[in-house]
Amino acid sequence: QVQVVESGGGLVQTGGSLRLSCVASGSIFSIDVMSWYRRASGKKRELVASITTDGRTDYGDGVKGRFTITRDNAKNTVTLQMDSLNPEDTAVYYCNADGVKLSWSVRKNTYWGQGTQVTVSS
């Protein structure tokens, strides 16, 4: 099957930067969209950023201009560069692989990682 694994979370001070990475592994033929979501304590999960196979990106309103999403289609990896972090960015960040087509199937599925904690201190 498919595994989605995030890395790179941690503790950083306000104004600092972090870089999150995610890799999807398994018998993957293609992935339509790779995204980062986050869920802060007591809040709903929200989209942080997404990127399509051809590089089209979308960002949540609260991160535009501060976060950058990139992707390596050949390696099935997605990276989120987070700059100018503030305490409101504190959350568990989840990687999502959507429209995943396996090499042996015509179906497409969605897979989630386990999440990585990002904490921004004031």
Side-chain angles (χ1 to χ4, degrees):
Q1 277 290 353
V2 175
Q3 284 190 319
V4 177
V5 179
E6 305 100 334
S7 62
L11 174 65
V12 65
Q13 291 185 333
T14 295
S17 299
L18 278 176
R19 187 179 183 89
L20 303 183
S21 297
C22 169
V23 57
S25 60
S27 300
I28 298 171
F29 178 78
S30 62
I31 304 174
D32 290 344
V33 183
M34 298 191 79
S35 304
W36 288 95
Y37 287 78
R38 67 185 181 187
R39 178 179 286 157
S41 180
K43 296 185 178 181
K44 295 182 178 179
R45 184 177 62 195
E46 63 176 353
L47 174 69
V48 177
S50 65
I51 185 167
T52 64
T53 304
D54 58 359
R56 286 177 290 126
T57 59
D58 187 26
Y59 292 93
D61 290 339
V63 306
K64 289 179 181 178
R66 299 189 298 122
F67 291 10
T68 303
I69 189 170
T70 57
R71 173 176 176 173
D72 186 327
N73 293 327
K75 297 180 179 179
N76 293 324
T77 60
V78 62
T79 298
L80 184 69
Q81 177 66 40
M82 305 186 293
D83 299 317
S84 301
L85 287 162
N86 58 65
E88 289 69 40
D89 296 315
T90 296
V92 178
Y93 284 69
Y94 298 91
C95 180
N96 172 266
D98 188 37
V100 178
K101 184 180 181 304
L102 302 179
S103 58
W104 48 267
S105 175
V106 298
R107 295 180 59 185
K108 291 185 177 182
N109 293 297
T110 295
Y111 298 91
W112 290 90
Q114 293 297 311
T116 184
Q117 177 71 46
V118 171
T119 302
V120 185
S121 63
S122 58

PDB file of all heavy atoms in Angstrom, residues 47-77:
ATOM      1  N   LEU A  47      -6.608  23.999   5.195  1.00  0.00           N
ATOM      2  CA  LEU A  47      -5.610  23.869   4.148  1.00  0.00           C
ATOM      3  C   LEU A  47      -4.524  24.916   4.354  1.00  0.00           C
ATOM      4  O   LEU A  47      -4.817  26.100   4.538  1.00  0.00           O
ATOM      5  CB  LEU A  47      -6.241  24.055   2.774  1.00  0.00           C
ATOM      6  CG  LEU A  47      -5.258  24.092   1.610  1.00  0.00           C
ATOM      7  CD1 LEU A  47      -4.626  22.717   1.384  1.00  0.00           C
ATOM      8  CD2 LEU A  47      -5.950  24.577   0.337  1.00  0.00           C
ATOM      9  N   VAL A  48      -3.285  24.472   4.298  1.00  0.00           N
ATOM     10  CA  VAL A  48      -2.149  25.389   4.358  1.00  0.00           C
ATOM     11  C   VAL A  48      -1.673  25.708   2.942  1.00  0.00           C
ATOM     12  O   VAL A  48      -1.548  26.874   2.557  1.00  0.00           O
ATOM     13  CB  VAL A  48      -0.992  24.792   5.178  1.00  0.00           C
ATOM     14  CG1 VAL A  48       0.206  25.725   5.161  1.00  0.00           C
ATOM     15  CG2 VAL A  48      -1.448  24.501   6.605  1.00  0.00           C
ATOM     16  N   ALA A  49      -1.398  24.654   2.172  1.00  0.00           N
ATOM     17  CA  ALA A  49      -0.925  24.846   0.808  1.00  0.00           C
ATOM     18  C   ALA A  49      -1.094  23.555   0.036  1.00  0.00           C
ATOM     19  O   ALA A  49      -1.060  22.469   0.610  1.00  0.00           O
ATOM     20  CB  ALA A  49       0.537  25.277   0.798  1.00  0.00           C
ATOM     21  N   SER A  50      -1.263  23.691  -1.280  1.00  0.00           N
ATOM     22  CA  SER A  50      -1.367  22.527  -2.136  1.00  0.00           C
ATOM     23  C   SER A  50      -0.620  22.790  -3.436  1.00  0.00           C
ATOM     24  O   SER A  50      -0.413  23.954  -3.831  1.00  0.00           O
ATOM     25  CB  SER A  50      -2.830  22.190  -2.429  1.00  0.00           C
ATOM     26  OG  SER A  50      -3.444  23.221  -3.176  1.00  0.00           O
ATOM     27  N   ILE A  51      -0.246  21.696  -4.104  1.00  0.00           N
ATOM     28  CA  ILE A  51       0.470  21.821  -5.373  1.00  0.00           C
ATOM     29  C   ILE A  51       0.092  20.652  -6.265  1.00  0.00           C
ATOM     30  O   ILE A  51       0.048  19.501  -5.819  1.00  0.00           O
ATOM     31  CB  ILE A  51       1.998  21.890  -5.136  1.00  0.00           C
ATOM     32  CG1 ILE A  51       2.744  22.137  -6.449  1.00  0.00           C
ATOM     33  CG2 ILE A  51       2.522  20.669  -4.400  1.00  0.00           C
ATOM     34  CD1 ILE A  51       4.204  22.522  -6.244  1.00  0.00           C
ATOM     35  N   THR A  52      -0.186  20.962  -7.527  1.00  0.00           N
ATOM     36  CA  THR A  52      -0.564  19.933  -8.478  1.00  0.00           C
ATOM     37  C   THR A  52       0.670  19.360  -9.178  1.00  0.00           C
ATOM     38  O   THR A  52       1.795  19.847  -8.989  1.00  0.00           O
ATOM     39  CB  THR A  52      -1.506  20.518  -9.541  1.00  0.00           C
ATOM     40  OG1 THR A  52      -0.790  21.521 -10.280  1.00  0.00           O
ATOM     41  CG2 THR A  52      -2.733  21.151  -8.902  1.00  0.00           C
ATOM     42  N   THR A  53       0.428  18.364  -9.984  1.00  0.00           N
ATOM     43  CA  THR A  53       1.521  17.720 -10.719  1.00  0.00           C
ATOM     44  C   THR A  53       2.252  18.716 -11.612  1.00  0.00           C
ATOM     45  O   THR A  53       3.478  18.647 -11.769  1.00  0.00           O
ATOM     46  CB  THR A  53       0.974  16.567 -11.570  1.00  0.00           C
ATOM     47  OG1 THR A  53       0.256  15.651 -10.740  1.00  0.00           O
ATOM     48  CG2 THR A  53       2.098  15.816 -12.271  1.00  0.00           C
ATOM     49  N   ASP A  54       1.509  19.650 -12.195  1.00  0.00           N
ATOM     50  CA  ASP A  54       2.144  20.621 -13.092  1.00  0.00           C
ATOM     51  C   ASP A  54       2.557  21.908 -12.385  1.00  0.00           C
ATOM     52  O   ASP A  54       2.874  22.902 -13.032  1.00  0.00           O
ATOM     53  CB  ASP A  54       1.225  20.946 -14.273  1.00  0.00           C
ATOM     54  CG  ASP A  54      -0.118  21.504 -13.828  1.00  0.00           C
ATOM     55  OD1 ASP A  54      -0.333  21.623 -12.611  1.00  0.00           O
ATOM     56  OD2 ASP A  54      -0.949  21.808 -14.696  1.00  0.00           O
ATOM     57  N   GLY A  55       2.577  21.877 -11.055  1.00  0.00           N
ATOM     58  CA  GLY A  55       3.148  22.976 -10.302  1.00  0.00           C
ATOM     59  C   GLY A  55       2.225  24.102  -9.900  1.00  0.00           C
ATOM     60  O   GLY A  55       2.677  25.120  -9.366  1.00  0.00           O
ATOM     61  N   ARG A  56       0.937  23.963 -10.149  1.00  0.00           N
ATOM     62  CA  ARG A  56       0.010  25.000  -9.712  1.00  0.00           C
ATOM     63  C   ARG A  56      -0.153  24.926  -8.207  1.00  0.00           C
ATOM     64  O   ARG A  56      -0.373  23.855  -7.652  1.00  0.00           O
ATOM     65  CB  ARG A  56      -1.330  24.845 -10.421  1.00  0.00           C
ATOM     66  CG  ARG A  56      -1.305  25.275 -11.878  1.00  0.00           C
ATOM     67  CD  ARG A  56      -2.639  25.034 -12.552  1.00  0.00           C
ATOM     68  NE  ARG A  56      -2.898  23.621 -12.746  1.00  0.00           N
ATOM     69  CZ  ARG A  56      -3.985  22.991 -12.325  1.00  0.00           C
ATOM     70  NH1 ARG A  56      -4.917  23.656 -11.664  1.00  0.00           N
ATOM     71  NH2 ARG A  56      -4.161  21.704 -12.548  1.00  0.00           N
ATOM     72  N   THR A  57      -0.065  26.082  -7.555  1.00  0.00           N
ATOM     73  CA  THR A  57      -0.115  26.136  -6.091  1.00  0.00           C
ATOM     74  C   THR A  57      -1.323  26.914  -5.596  1.00  0.00           C
ATOM     75  O   THR A  57      -1.865  27.779  -6.289  1.00  0.00           O
ATOM     76  CB  THR A  57       1.160  26.778  -5.533  1.00  0.00           C
ATOM     77  OG1 THR A  57       1.294  28.099  -6.060  1.00  0.00           O
ATOM     78  CG2 THR A  57       2.404  25.968  -5.885  1.00  0.00           C
ATOM     79  N   ASP A  58      -1.691  26.603  -4.379  1.00  0.00           N
ATOM     80  CA  ASP A  58      -2.767  27.314  -3.699  1.00  0.00           C
ATOM     81  C   ASP A  58      -2.371  27.420  -2.232  1.00  0.00           C
ATOM     82  O   ASP A  58      -1.814  26.465  -1.668  1.00  0.00           O
ATOM     83  CB  ASP A  58      -4.087  26.561  -3.841  1.00  0.00           C
ATOM     84  CG  ASP A  58      -5.260  27.359  -3.298  1.00  0.00           C
ATOM     85  OD1 ASP A  58      -5.180  28.610  -3.279  1.00  0.00           O
ATOM     86  OD2 ASP A  58      -6.265  26.742  -2.891  1.00  0.00           O
ATOM     87  N   TYR A  59      -2.646  28.568  -1.624  1.00  0.00           N
ATOM     88  CA  TYR A  59      -2.261  28.794  -0.240  1.00  0.00           C
ATOM     89  C   TYR A  59      -3.444  29.278   0.577  1.00  0.00           C
ATOM     90  O   TYR A  59      -4.309  30.009   0.087  1.00  0.00           O
ATOM     91  CB  TYR A  59      -1.152  29.853  -0.158  1.00  0.00           C
ATOM     92  CG  TYR A  59       0.164  29.414  -0.741  1.00  0.00           C
ATOM     93  CD1 TYR A  59       0.485  29.679  -2.065  1.00  0.00           C
ATOM     94  CD2 TYR A  59       1.100  28.718   0.035  1.00  0.00           C
ATOM     95  CE1 TYR A  59       1.685  29.274  -2.609  1.00  0.00           C
ATOM     96  CE2 TYR A  59       2.311  28.308  -0.498  1.00  0.00           C
ATOM     97  CZ  TYR A  59       2.590  28.589  -1.831  1.00  0.00           C
ATOM     98  OH  TYR A  59       3.791  28.184  -2.347  1.00  0.00           O
ATOM     99  N   GLY A  60      -3.444  28.886   1.855  1.00  0.00           N
ATOM    100  CA  GLY A  60      -4.424  29.414   2.776  1.00  0.00           C
ATOM    101  C   GLY A  60      -4.165  30.902   3.004  1.00  0.00           C
ATOM    102  O   GLY A  60      -3.023  31.359   2.927  1.00  0.00           O
ATOM    103  N   ASP A  61      -5.216  31.634   3.320  1.00  0.00           N
ATOM    104  CA  ASP A  61      -5.082  33.084   3.449  1.00  0.00           C
ATOM    105  C   ASP A  61      -4.070  33.491   4.508  1.00  0.00           C
ATOM    106  O   ASP A  61      -3.362  34.492   4.366  1.00  0.00           O
ATOM    107  CB  ASP A  61      -6.444  33.706   3.788  1.00  0.00           C
ATOM    108  CG  ASP A  61      -7.404  33.641   2.614  1.00  0.00           C
ATOM    109  OD1 ASP A  61      -6.926  33.508   1.469  1.00  0.00           O
ATOM    110  OD2 ASP A  61      -8.624  33.729   2.853  1.00  0.00           O
ATOM    111  N   GLY A  62      -3.959  32.732   5.559  1.00  0.00           N
ATOM    112  CA  GLY A  62      -3.085  33.126   6.653  1.00  0.00           C
ATOM    113  C   GLY A  62      -1.604  32.880   6.426  1.00  0.00           C
ATOM    114  O   GLY A  62      -0.780  33.314   7.222  1.00  0.00           O
ATOM    115  N   VAL A  63      -1.257  32.216   5.317  1.00  0.00           N
ATOM    116  CA  VAL A  63       0.145  31.871   5.097  1.00  0.00           C
ATOM    117  C   VAL A  63       0.711  32.448   3.810  1.00  0.00           C
ATOM    118  O   VAL A  63       1.905  32.319   3.545  1.00  0.00           O
ATOM    119  CB  VAL A  63       0.345  30.344   5.104  1.00  0.00           C
ATOM    120  CG1 VAL A  63      -0.222  29.746   6.392  1.00  0.00           C
ATOM    121  CG2 VAL A  63      -0.250  29.685   3.880  1.00  0.00           C
ATOM    122  N   LYS A  64      -0.127  33.083   3.005  1.00  0.00           N
ATOM    123  CA  LYS A  64       0.343  33.638   1.735  1.00  0.00           C
ATOM    124  C   LYS A  64       1.473  34.626   1.970  1.00  0.00           C
ATOM    125  O   LYS A  64       1.398  35.484   2.835  1.00  0.00           O
ATOM    126  CB  LYS A  64      -0.821  34.323   1.012  1.00  0.00           C
ATOM    127  CG  LYS A  64      -1.845  33.358   0.454  1.00  0.00           C
ATOM    128  CD  LYS A  64      -2.984  34.095  -0.229  1.00  0.00           C
ATOM    129  CE  LYS A  64      -4.016  33.108  -0.772  1.00  0.00           C
ATOM    130  NZ  LYS A  64      -5.173  33.799  -1.396  1.00  0.00           N
ATOM    131  N   GLY A  65       2.517  34.459   1.190  1.00  0.00           N
ATOM    132  CA  GLY A  65       3.665  35.347   1.311  1.00  0.00           C
ATOM    133  C   GLY A  65       4.688  34.905   2.340  1.00  0.00           C
ATOM    134  O   GLY A  65       5.789  35.457   2.392  1.00  0.00           O
ATOM    135  N   ARG A  66       4.319  33.925   3.159  1.00  0.00           N
ATOM    136  CA  ARG A  66       5.251  33.450   4.198  1.00  0.00           C
ATOM    137  C   ARG A  66       5.669  32.001   3.974  1.00  0.00           C
ATOM    138  O   ARG A  66       6.783  31.615   4.324  1.00  0.00           O
ATOM    139  CB  ARG A  66       4.606  33.565   5.579  1.00  0.00           C
ATOM    140  CG  ARG A  66       4.236  34.979   5.976  1.00  0.00           C
ATOM    141  CD  ARG A  66       3.796  35.037   7.444  1.00  0.00           C
ATOM    142  NE  ARG A  66       2.598  34.236   7.695  1.00  0.00           N
ATOM    143  CZ  ARG A  66       2.535  33.234   8.577  1.00  0.00           C
ATOM    144  NH1 ARG A  66       3.606  32.901   9.279  1.00  0.00           N
ATOM    145  NH2 ARG A  66       1.400  32.566   8.757  1.00  0.00           N
ATOM    146  N   PHE A  67       4.761  31.206   3.421  1.00  0.00           N
ATOM    147  CA  PHE A  67       5.037  29.790   3.204  1.00  0.00           C
ATOM    148  C   PHE A  67       5.191  29.518   1.709  1.00  0.00           C
ATOM    149  O   PHE A  67       4.537  30.164   0.879  1.00  0.00           O
ATOM    150  CB  PHE A  67       3.890  28.931   3.731  1.00  0.00           C
ATOM    151  CG  PHE A  67       3.743  28.910   5.222  1.00  0.00           C
ATOM    152  CD1 PHE A  67       4.459  29.766   6.043  1.00  0.00           C
ATOM    153  CD2 PHE A  67       2.876  28.007   5.815  1.00  0.00           C
ATOM    154  CE1 PHE A  67       4.308  29.737   7.424  1.00  0.00           C
ATOM    155  CE2 PHE A  67       2.716  27.964   7.188  1.00  0.00           C
ATOM    156  CZ  PHE A  67       3.428  28.834   7.996  1.00  0.00           C
ATOM    157  N   THR A  68       6.038  28.534   1.388  1.00  0.00           N
ATOM    158  CA  THR A  68       6.242  28.141  -0.002  1.00  0.00           C
ATOM    159  C   THR A  68       6.195  26.621  -0.108  1.00  0.00           C
ATOM    160  O   THR A  68       6.913  25.924   0.625  1.00  0.00           O
ATOM    161  CB  THR A  68       7.595  28.636  -0.524  1.00  0.00           C
ATOM    162  OG1 THR A  68       7.672  30.064  -0.378  1.00  0.00           O
ATOM    163  CG2 THR A  68       7.758  28.286  -1.995  1.00  0.00           C
ATOM    164  N   ILE A  69       5.378  26.127  -1.014  1.00  0.00           N
ATOM    165  CA  ILE A  69       5.268  24.685  -1.225  1.00  0.00           C
ATOM    166  C   ILE A  69       5.954  24.322  -2.530  1.00  0.00           C
ATOM    167  O   ILE A  69       5.816  25.023  -3.535  1.00  0.00           O
ATOM    168  CB  ILE A  69       3.785  24.234  -1.220  1.00  0.00           C
ATOM    169  CG1 ILE A  69       3.693  22.714  -1.230  1.00  0.00           C
ATOM    170  CG2 ILE A  69       3.008  24.866  -2.375  1.00  0.00           C
ATOM    171  CD1 ILE A  69       2.277  22.180  -0.982  1.00  0.00           C
ATOM    172  N   THR A  70       6.716  23.246  -2.491  1.00  0.00           N
ATOM    173  CA  THR A  70       7.373  22.723  -3.683  1.00  0.00           C
ATOM    174  C   THR A  70       7.200  21.215  -3.721  1.00  0.00           C
ATOM    175  O   THR A  70       6.887  20.590  -2.706  1.00  0.00           O
ATOM    176  CB  THR A  70       8.867  23.078  -3.704  1.00  0.00           C
ATOM    177  OG1 THR A  70       9.483  22.584  -2.509  1.00  0.00           O
ATOM    178  CG2 THR A  70       9.084  24.574  -3.805  1.00  0.00           C
ATOM    179  N   ARG A  71       7.477  20.668  -4.888  1.00  0.00           N
ATOM    180  CA  ARG A  71       7.202  19.245  -5.074  1.00  0.00           C
ATOM    181  C   ARG A  71       8.212  18.647  -6.043  1.00  0.00           C
ATOM    182  O   ARG A  71       8.649  19.296  -6.988  1.00  0.00           O
ATOM    183  CB  ARG A  71       5.779  19.112  -5.613  1.00  0.00           C
ATOM    184  CG  ARG A  71       5.357  17.732  -6.021  1.00  0.00           C
ATOM    185  CD  ARG A  71       3.902  17.732  -6.443  1.00  0.00           C
ATOM    186  NE  ARG A  71       3.501  16.434  -6.932  1.00  0.00           N
ATOM    187  CZ  ARG A  71       2.267  16.100  -7.243  1.00  0.00           C
ATOM    188  NH1 ARG A  71       1.288  16.990  -7.124  1.00  0.00           N
ATOM    189  NH2 ARG A  71       1.989  14.896  -7.685  1.00  0.00           N
ATOM    190  N   ASP A  72       8.538  17.382  -5.788  1.00  0.00           N
ATOM    191  CA  ASP A  72       9.366  16.605  -6.703  1.00  0.00           C
ATOM    192  C   ASP A  72       8.519  15.418  -7.158  1.00  0.00           C
ATOM    193  O   ASP A  72       8.325  14.469  -6.392  1.00  0.00           O
ATOM    194  CB  ASP A  72      10.641  16.145  -6.001  1.00  0.00           C
ATOM    195  CG  ASP A  72      11.608  15.449  -6.948  1.00  0.00           C
ATOM    196  OD1 ASP A  72      11.151  14.781  -7.899  1.00  0.00           O
ATOM    197  OD2 ASP A  72      12.821  15.551  -6.719  1.00  0.00           O
ATOM    198  N   ASN A  73       8.007  15.488  -8.364  1.00  0.00           N
ATOM    199  CA  ASN A  73       7.106  14.435  -8.849  1.00  0.00           C
ATOM    200  C   ASN A  73       7.812  13.079  -8.962  1.00  0.00           C
ATOM    201  O   ASN A  73       7.205  12.042  -8.706  1.00  0.00           O
ATOM    202  CB  ASN A  73       6.529  14.815 -10.208  1.00  0.00           C
ATOM    203  CG  ASN A  73       5.608  16.016 -10.129  1.00  0.00           C
ATOM    204  OD1 ASN A  73       4.914  16.213  -9.136  1.00  0.00           O
ATOM    205  ND2 ASN A  73       5.595  16.829 -11.170  1.00  0.00           N
ATOM    206  N   ALA A  74       9.054  13.096  -9.350  1.00  0.00           N
ATOM    207  CA  ALA A  74       9.781  11.842  -9.541  1.00  0.00           C
ATOM    208  C   ALA A  74       9.991  11.103  -8.222  1.00  0.00           C
ATOM    209  O   ALA A  74      10.029   9.872  -8.188  1.00  0.00           O
ATOM    210  CB  ALA A  74      11.119  12.118 -10.208  1.00  0.00           C
ATOM    211  N   LYS A  75      10.123  11.865  -7.132  1.00  0.00           N
ATOM    212  CA  LYS A  75      10.389  11.260  -5.828  1.00  0.00           C
ATOM    213  C   LYS A  75       9.142  11.210  -4.953  1.00  0.00           C
ATOM    214  O   LYS A  75       9.209  10.708  -3.829  1.00  0.00           O
ATOM    215  CB  LYS A  75      11.481  12.045  -5.112  1.00  0.00           C
ATOM    216  CG  LYS A  75      12.830  12.024  -5.818  1.00  0.00           C
ATOM    217  CD  LYS A  75      13.870  12.816  -5.047  1.00  0.00           C
ATOM    218  CE  LYS A  75      15.220  12.764  -5.759  1.00  0.00           C
ATOM    219  NZ  LYS A  75      16.245  13.553  -5.030  1.00  0.00           N
ATOM    220  N   ASN A  76       8.029  11.738  -5.458  1.00  0.00           N
ATOM    221  CA  ASN A  76       6.777  11.771  -4.679  1.00  0.00           C
ATOM    222  C   ASN A  76       6.981  12.460  -3.337  1.00  0.00           C
ATOM    223  O   ASN A  76       6.547  11.969  -2.287  1.00  0.00           O
ATOM    224  CB  ASN A  76       6.215  10.369  -4.479  1.00  0.00           C
ATOM    225  CG  ASN A  76       5.744   9.750  -5.766  1.00  0.00           C
ATOM    226  OD1 ASN A  76       5.214  10.440  -6.644  1.00  0.00           O
ATOM    227  ND2 ASN A  76       5.934   8.451  -5.908  1.00  0.00           N
ATOM    228  N   THR A  77       7.662  13.582  -3.380  1.00  0.00           N
ATOM    229  CA  THR A  77       7.907  14.351  -2.172  1.00  0.00           C
ATOM    230  C   THR A  77       7.321  15.759  -2.304  1.00  0.00           C
ATOM    231  O   THR A  77       7.194  16.292  -3.405  1.00  0.00           O
ATOM    232  CB  THR A  77       9.401  14.470  -1.862  1.00  0.00           C
ATOM    233  OG1 THR A  77      10.047  15.125  -2.964  1.00  0.00           O
ATOM    234  CG2 THR A  77      10.035  13.105  -1.640  1.00  0.00           C
TER     235      THR A  77
END
